Amino acid sequence: MHEMSLAVAVVEQVDGALRDEPPGTVETVRLQVGELAGVVPDALHFSFTLACEGTVLEGAALHIDTVPGRARCTPCGAEWATGMPPRLHCPDCRSTAAALVAGRELQIVSVHRADHGTVPAPTPASEEN
Amino acid sequence: MCRVVDLQQAVLAENDRRALTLRTELAARGTTAVNLLSSPGSGKTALLEAELTLARSRGVPVAALTADLATENDARRLGRSGAPVKQILTDGLCHLEAEMLRGHLDGWLPDGTRVLFVENVGNLVCPATYDLGETLRVALCSVTEGEDKPLKYPTAFGLAHLVLVTKSDLADAVGFDESAFRAHVQQINPGVETVLTSTRTGEGAGVLLEHALAAHGNAPAHRPVMARQAPPREHHHTHSHHDGAVHSHS
Ligand SMILES: [Zn+2]
């Protein structure tokens, strides 16, 4: 189950990226996972929880946005949903020269975090709230 | 106070970076790496042993790393060919990563090795996600595994530069539907070559070695659709007020 390796990579990258940020709690990690990335989202959720234990991400939730596979024909420009298992020849002109528009993503998009203790000094604009 | 930190980092960025470095280094040494993916029991080791033996008889310097835990005797068996062979112990890990491969090559891979065969861990799921710095990725499947196999493992077959069917001598006995298998492979990897092999009859002997020798530097002959990223659409500003239909200009 390579989802465990992927989850560990996510935790390491998020940990590294937040090193220069003020301390805080990571509430959510948002991932994009393409339909053709060869990853089982349920396995990734399970692995993520384990991989977070004992790290700065402990207790964080994983949010996965699934990206449908899309391909485009190079000669005729037609674009189609690949489906799963994918169909990767052009449905219009039958050409085998196509490329993916989307579907292989395995991307850490963003992290939602709550800062600890550090309440920023109110600015004149925020005093109205 | 809650904040959103934008990261936009590829999860596999580190592996991909190491794989690219390794591919470049191997190319500079004149070595082509071949990544072999299959399920356990596909006959991958027997095929690799035959190809190593053939390479030795032709005087082509080859070497092999094997991570297949299905049979612990793989390294000894492959070593009968006379080629340098090393067993990779993965400690139960289900796939190889570029950095692991790198660690095994340092101080072992003989200078002048023309082709390095890497027998990945025996499964068609996990290894498919990891670029090892190979120039040629080969997916193998025996006739006994059925013609639907490529559809069940689209990443492994979809990213392959070559598909090999093993144990073709058993095709009739198990009712292997070759045309259906080929159609399934073409559905997910249009244009990829599929070759039937049998170490018993000698069908397809040498095809793996020849594809490896033909893949110069870091450019395999076939580029799978699944490995190609479409360029951004060109915007035709003159049509910007139209309904978004695709305009083609010839
Ligand atoms: Zn087309």
Side-chain angles (χ1 to χ4, degrees):
Chain A
M1 194 174 79
H2 63 307
E3 281 82 2
M4 192 64 211
S5 301
L6 296 174
V8 169
V10 169
V11 170
E12 284 175 354
Q13 284 186 44
V14 170
D15 185 28
L18 297 182
R19 206 152 281 165
D20 298 330
E21 300 272 329
T25 307
V26 177
E27 294 182 333
T28 311
V29 175
R30 200 173 193 101
L31 288 191
Q32 269 185 343
V33 176
E35 197 180 10
L36 309 178
V39 171
V40 180
D42 281 351
L44 193 53
H45 274 289
F46 173 77
S47 301
F48 181 77
T49 305
L50 292 180
C52 287
E53 280 175 13
T55 76
V56 66
L57 276 81
E58 181 144 8
L62 181 67
H63 187 101
I64 296 178
D65 297 316
T66 302
V67 184
R70 286 194 72 74
R72 187 193 306 148
C73 178
T74 309
C76 86
E79 212 175 289
W80 69 95
T82 64
M84 192 61 175
R87 293 192 173 276
L88 295 177
H89 48 241
C90 178
D92 285 3
C93 76
R94 311 306 296 171
S95 168
T96 59
L100 288 187
V101 176
R104 293 272 302 148
E105 294 79 2
L106 205 43
Q107 184 91 354
I108 308 169
V109 178
S110 61
V111 171
H112 290 240
R113 56 202 303 276
D115 291 343
H116 285 162
T118 52
V119 180
T123 60
S126 68
E127 281 175 342
E128 295 165 13
N129 295 328
Chain B
M1 188 179 127
C2 184
R3 297 194 302 125
V4 178
V5 181
D6 279 318
L7 291 182
Q8 291 299 346
Q9 294 179 13
V11 176
L12 292 167
E14 183 70 4
N15 184 75
D16 288 350
R17 191 181 59 74
R18 292 175 191 271
L20 182 63
T21 303
L22 187 53
R23 183 158 32 243
T24 307
E25 287 174 6
L26 286 171
R29 294 178 66 167
T31 305
T32 297
V34 179
N35 188 0
L36 301 167
L37 275 61
S38 82
S39 295
S42 68
K44 179 171 49 168
T45 308
L47 181 111
L48 183 51
E49 183 187 355
E51 297 291 307
L52 291 175
T53 305
L54 183 70
R56 297 276 298 175
S57 74
R58 292 184 187 172
V60 181
V62 291
L65 282 167
T66 176
D68 194 350
L69 297 176
T71 52
E72 291 175 2
N73 292 328
D74 278 0
R76 188 148 35 109
R77 185 170 169 188
L78 293 174
R80 295 192 304 211
S81 66
V85 174
K86 190 175 182 185
Q87 178 91 42
I88 300 178
L89 298 174
T90 57
D91 276 335
L93 193 67
C94 52
H95 61 274
L96 293 177
E97 297 184 14
E99 187 61 12
M100 297 168 62
L101 184 61
R102 169 49 162 290
H104 283 277
L105 294 182
D106 287 342
W108 170 76
L109 184 69
D111 283 336
T113 301
R114 184 66 189 78
V115 181
L116 169 69
F117 295 99
V118 181
E119 188 179 13
N120 215 315
V121 181
N123 81 72
L124 283 171
V125 181
C126 312
T129 301
Y130 291 87
D131 184 357
L132 296 184
E134 74 269 21
T135 296
L136 194 69
R137 181 181 288 205
V138 184
L140 299 95
C141 172
S142 77
V143 294
T144 60
E145 294 172 64
E147 46 287 333
D148 290 344
K149 198 90 178 189
L151 300 183
K152 290 176 184 160
Y153 300 92
T155 319
F157 287 91
L159 291 171
H161 301 114
L162 173 66
V163 175
L164 295 182
V165 178
T166 56
K167 306 183 187 177
S168 68
D169 54 287
L170 298 176
D172 289 343
V174 298
F176 178 67
D177 186 341
E178 182 185 339
S179 63
F181 181 86
R182 287 183 182 276
H184 292 154
V185 169
Q186 290 306 308
Q187 176 187 329
I188 57 169
N189 195 343
V192 74
E193 194 178 341
T194 299
V195 182
L196 267 60
T197 70
S198 164
T199 52
R200 193 166 295 173
T201 66
E203 182 176 13
V207 71
L208 180 59
L209 179 64
E210 277 145 26
H211 273 77
L213 292 173
H216 285 295
N218 42 22
H222 170 70
R223 281 186 65 219
V225 172
M226 216 185 267
R228 290 186 222 157
Q229 189 64 44
R233 279 243 189 242
E234 286 178 37
H235 294 289
H236 301 291
H237 294 290
T238 50
H239 297 298
S240 61
H241 296 293
H242 288 233
D243 58 4
V246 175
H247 302 276
S248 55
H249 302 281
S250 52

